[in-house]
Amino acid sequence: FRTSLAENRGLLFLHGRPGRYPYWMHNVRVPLDIIWMDKERRIVEISARTPACLESDPAKCPHYGGQAASMFALEVAGGMSDRHGLRIGQTIGF
């Protein structure tokens, strides 16, 4: 239910094993970039400026990503991946 996300903040999701992990935007109020990474932290998929889903019924919210196997997903403010030149194949350090 956040109404903003600071430029240099985000949420990092750690999955226990590689897999296809689609995300949705139910209860999210701001557009986000969702960046999926494999076990080497290499970007395998990006959903840029993923729109908020304001539906009260979560079943009406679309899913994004999950096309490539990943271990990590990073959610940051919408447009941040473009502003920082992030592309599939690049590695993110953390």
Side-chain angles (χ1 to χ4, degrees):
F1 295 103
R2 289 180 177 261
T3 57
S4 66
L5 182 60
E7 176 70 20
N8 293 317
R9 301 284 182 201
L11 298 95
L12 179 63
F13 297 89
L14 310 153
H15 297 286
R17 58 187 153 107
R20 297 178 188 270
Y21 299 102
Y23 280 66
W24 65 355
M25 298 289 284
H26 184 252
N27 291 332
V28 177
R29 303 290 183 235
V30 295
L32 298 175
D33 288 359
I34 308 171
I35 304 160
W36 288 264
M37 294 159 278
D38 64 15
K39 64 182 180 180
E40 284 84 30
R41 300 179 181 141
R42 187 175 38 249
I43 299 171
V44 296
E45 193 170 359
I46 299 173
S47 178
R49 292 181 175 85
T50 311
C53 181
L54 304 177
E55 295 284 347
S56 59
D57 179 359
K60 293 182 180 178
C61 293
H63 289 81
Y64 299 91
Q67 303 304 309
S70 64
M71 284 258 326
F72 307 97
L74 177 64
E75 294 181 345
V76 293
M80 192 171 164
S81 60
D82 282 340
R83 286 191 294 282
H84 290 277
L86 298 180
R87 301 288 177 258
I88 292 174
Q90 291 177 322
T91 301
I92 295 179
F94 56 87

